Amino acid sequence: MDRLMPREKLRAMLDQVTREITRREAGIRLTLTEPGENGPVGDPCTVYITFERGMDGTLCLCANGAMFVRIARAVMDTDALTPQDVADVAKEYLNVLGGHVLRRLFPTAKRPARFSVPVFCRGPYAPEGERLSIALDYAGDQAEQVRFSYYTPHGDENTWKEDVSV
């Protein structure tokens, strides 16, 4: 993504998408904070997607479990949630975020991209063989901690694949 636009413009776009989608889908207002050492503390969970076509890299959203519960409550309009409900909603939430990122990059890239099915896991996650390129840390309006990260493979800043075959 860095070759498509300057890093600060990319960072600003990722920030805007994250805040807009989180407010629209869950009614949660996120405030950008100073970067922390390791992201959310306490009971962090992570949901992530890996780009499979048109782009390289991984987008990860790590947050306190309470943040994912809050999103699930807003989306499902119920307090009666199972852990599987929370994981499923977290995956769909990142799917929406990732789709909006791709939609905003397409006019610049003029290439289609596709990402994997989202994966939910307990604890922080960093993809093996990739390095952190951008990390955005947030505080939610009810003290949630969130980190939205973009990792690039093998430290390579070129994130657009030449092979975009179906």
Side-chain angles (χ1 to χ4, degrees):
M1 282 191 273
D2 289 347
R3 287 197 180 172
L4 294 175
M5 62 179 64
R7 181 180 298 275
E8 283 309 308
K9 187 173 179 183
L10 174 61
R11 181 178 158 78
M13 184 270 292
L14 292 172
D15 175 43
Q16 182 181 17
V17 167
T18 302
R19 289 197 225 197
E20 284 176 5
I21 298 305
T22 304
R23 186 177 60 248
R24 186 183 79 206
E25 297 299 320
I28 300 171
R29 296 197 183 278
L30 296 176
T31 302
L32 197 58
T33 62
E34 290 297 316
E37 286 291 315
N38 299 312
V41 296
D43 64 336
C45 298
T46 305
V47 62
Y48 64 92
I49 51 176
T50 302
F51 293 100
E52 296 180 330
R53 186 182 88 185
M55 221 172 117
D56 285 325
T58 302
L59 291 175
C60 297
L61 184 79
C62 183
N64 303 98
M67 172 77 169
F68 288 119
V69 169
R70 190 169 171 208
I71 292 169
R73 282 183 179 146
V75 169
M76 296 180 71
D77 195 27
T78 184
D79 289 334
L81 299 169
T82 67
Q84 188 62 51
D85 292 335
V86 174
D88 289 345
V89 170
K91 291 187 282 188
E92 186 55 33
Y93 166 73
L94 186 59
N95 197 40
V96 171
L97 276 175
H100 280 266
V101 167
L102 293 181
R103 182 180 61 81
R104 291 191 188 187
L105 286 173
F106 185 78
T108 303
K110 307 261 189 289
R111 292 183 181 185
R114 180 174 35 203
F115 47 81
S116 67
V117 172
V119 176
F120 182 86
C121 63
R122 295 261 173 222
Y125 172 80
E128 190 173 320
E130 296 187 16
R131 75 170 180 85
L132 182 63
S133 182
I134 295 174
L136 299 165
D137 288 349
Y138 299 95
D141 53 18
Q142 292 182 7
E144 300 91 352
Q145 295 175 326
V146 180
R147 173 173 278 181
F148 187 51
S149 306
Y150 171 59
Y151 289 84
T152 56
H154 315 292
D156 183 8
E157 295 299 321
N158 179 14
T159 61
W160 285 93
K161 294 179 183 177
E162 291 302 317
D163 176 20
V164 292
S165 59
V166 178

